[in-house]
Amino acid sequence: SQKMEYILKEAMEDQGFYEIMNYSFESPKVFEKLNISEDSDLRKAIIISNPLGEDFSVMRTQTLNGMLGSLSTNYNRRNEEAYLYEVGKIYIPKALPLTELPDERSKLTIGMYGKGDFYDLKGVVEVLFEKLGMDDQVEYDLKQDLSWMHPGRCASISINKKEIGYMGEVHPAVAANYDIETRVYVGVIDIPAILENADLERTYKPLPKYPAVSRDIAMLVKDEILVKDIENIIKQRGGKILESYSLFDVYKGKQIQDGYKSIAYSITFRASDRTLTEEEVNKAM
């Protein structure tokens, strides 16, 4: 677990992020600042019996307040951009009042504002999973049930259909609560789930001897069709000769019917033991 945490931190710092450390003690007022609903389990926090004051009177059940506070400090000191990450614990009680020790779970929290956007954040997360040998296992889906995140600009992160985190743009009202007047992007990932699924073993194969065949394909699809679903079909139907694919164009305009978009991919085929024939590639296409 120490080795994994080192790799995780190294991957974040390689991409220009700075580590921060926040208190595990927080104020009960953070639930209002984060727009957390009254019936949310996140409000079931452990109360400190001898707190330093109200601002440090409960154990945190989420890491977002600390991250947004750090981003706010940078923003209000006129730093044009900030890229931060934290490896810290949350404390989830099994019952209140406490009858046994709470569940302490480590979380990786990523926060940024400035030149980057949602896709830059997604790229950071993808590099992280690639370093940990998990990139083929991870799926991203639209997530709309988090009151502190911008609806339509938030994605869940899942492994084997099990959600392990989320990422996206913070709701403007929540950002305003922290005196941040620009778009803020955050991601929260469960570290125990990473430890369970990470794979540091690497398999190497020789450089290809035979040429690749590339084809482009453009399709007209409804707006609600996700790129992820299209790519799943490309992987499924491409078979053993599919080497790679790349999305290179998404277009909506006057030439496209309302409610539709044009999506174009470049697809590469290659066999390790022979030169592919036109018929084989045509069949896959």
Side-chain angles (χ1 to χ4, degrees):
S1 63
Q2 289 177 327
K3 185 177 181 182
M4 290 287 186
E5 191 169 306
Y6 175 79
I7 292 171
L8 186 152
K9 290 184 175 184
E10 189 178 54
M12 294 305 303
E13 285 157 17
D14 285 348
Q15 298 182 84
F17 283 73
Y18 291 87
E19 184 176 11
I20 62 171
M21 299 177 74
N22 284 298
Y23 288 115
S24 294
F25 306 141
E26 290 186 332
S27 166
K29 295 177 182 176
V30 303
F31 303 128
E32 302 298 332
K33 290 181 74 175
L34 290 171
N35 199 25
I36 294 174
S37 62
E38 293 287 343
D39 58 349
S40 172
D41 288 341
L42 293 176
R43 285 182 176 263
K44 298 175 182 176
I46 301 165
I47 299 173
I48 307 298
S49 57
N50 56 344
L52 297 172
E54 187 187 17
D55 288 346
F56 303 96
S57 61
V58 298
M59 301 294 287
R60 67 180 179 181
T61 56
Q62 43 65 43
T63 55
L64 204 57
N65 174 67
M67 175 57 70
L68 290 176
S70 298
L71 291 172
S72 174
T73 299
N74 279 270
Y75 181 79
N76 288 290
R77 279 168 173 66
R78 301 184 185 278
N79 286 330
E80 293 182 0
E81 54 187 17
Y83 304 92
L84 308 175
Y85 80 92
E86 179 184 15
V87 175
K89 290 183 177 180
I90 60 170
Y91 302 84
I92 308 298
K94 295 165 186 173
L96 287 175
L98 285 180
T99 55
E100 55 183 314
L101 291 174
D103 182 16
E104 299 182 25
R105 294 192 74 84
S106 294
K107 299 283 184 177
L108 168 66
T109 309
I110 306 167
M112 56 186 267
Y113 71 81
K115 296 176 183 176
D117 59 14
F118 174 88
Y119 298 102
D120 292 295
L121 176 61
K122 184 171 183 280
V124 168
V125 173
E126 287 175 337
V127 168
L128 173 67
F129 286 134
E130 185 179 5
K131 292 259 188 184
L132 295 168
M134 299 168 58
D135 48 321
D136 289 340
Q137 307 174 50
V138 180
E139 291 189 348
Y140 306 92
D141 290 289
L142 186 65
K143 187 173 180 66
Q144 296 181 307
D145 59 348
L146 299 178
S147 58
W148 56 91
M149 299 297 288
H150 194 304
R153 296 180 186 173
C154 180
S156 64
I157 305 169
S158 302
I159 294 179
N160 300 323
K161 307 300 181 185
K162 180 183 177 183
E163 190 172 315
I164 65 165
Y166 64 90
M167 62 181 180
E169 183 180 336
V170 174
H171 197 291
V174 173
N177 289 340
Y178 287 85
D179 298 320
I180 304 175
E181 298 175 358
T182 188
R183 290 186 172 185
V184 185
Y185 300 91
V186 299
V188 180
I189 303 172
D190 188 54
I191 291 180
I194 292 178
L195 297 179
E196 288 173 17
N197 294 279
D199 182 7
L200 300 184
E201 291 187 6
R202 296 291 180 267
T203 302
Y204 297 89
K205 56 186 179 182
L207 292 171
K209 297 178 182 179
Y210 299 94
V213 179
S214 294
R215 293 285 177 83
D216 291 348
I217 182 172
M219 63 202 89
L220 202 61
V221 299
K222 291 183 178 179
D223 280 338
E224 59 263 28
I225 301 294
L226 300 178
V227 164
K228 176 181 75 76
D229 297 330
I230 295 172
E231 292 180 353
N232 285 341
I233 291 176
I234 291 174
K235 286 189 284 188
Q236 177 190 347
R237 305 289 174 158
K240 294 181 180 179
I241 63 171
L242 176 68
E243 182 177 75
S244 64
Y245 55 87
S246 175
L247 174 69
F248 69 85
D249 186 52
V250 178
Y251 176 75
K252 292 185 71 174
K254 294 180 180 177
Q255 296 91 338
I256 304 294
Q257 181 183 343
D258 285 345
Y260 284 79
K261 58 191 173 186
S262 172
I263 291 184
Y265 277 90
S266 178
I267 303 176
T268 302
F269 300 96
R270 193 196 305 262
S272 60
D273 58 347
R274 67 190 187 282
T275 299
L276 290 172
T277 65
E278 193 80 4
E279 293 168 356
E280 288 178 294
V281 176
N282 287 343
K283 185 178 178 182
M285 288 299 293

